Amino acid sequence: MKTCHRFASIKAEFERDVRFLRGHAERHQGSAPAKTSWKNAVSVKRNMARALNTHLSRCRECG
């Protein structure tokens, strides 16, 4: 599937946030902030899927 540059930049931004949150969770395993970071990473990943699906349905280059 061919996608546009905007799709790639949206995906990259979300993936950077997920990596940051998961990294924090791994560095501070067992603490309350780590658990919160992990839950936030799951939420960000869900939001990424929603944003990319919305982009695909609206973008002329991707669709």
Side-chain angles (χ1 to χ4, degrees):
M1 176 172 80
K2 185 178 179 202
T3 57
C4 69
H5 70 282
R6 182 69 182 132
F7 181 92
S9 65
I10 292 169
K11 186 175 179 182
E13 289 174 23
F14 275 106
E15 286 178 341
R16 184 187 62 223
D17 291 342
V18 169
R19 277 193 310 273
F20 174 79
L21 291 167
R22 284 186 177 171
H24 180 267
E26 290 173 2
R27 284 190 304 275
H28 303 284
Q29 285 181 346
S31 68
K35 292 175 186 175
T36 301
S37 286
W38 190 262
K39 288 178 185 177
N40 286 343
V42 170
S43 178
V44 168
K45 203 156 170 92
R46 189 177 308 122
N47 290 343
M48 176 178 68
R50 187 178 306 125
L52 292 176
N53 281 330
T54 301
H55 174 82
L56 285 173
S57 67
R58 294 181 180 172
C59 181
R60 291 181 182 164
E61 288 182 51
C62 294

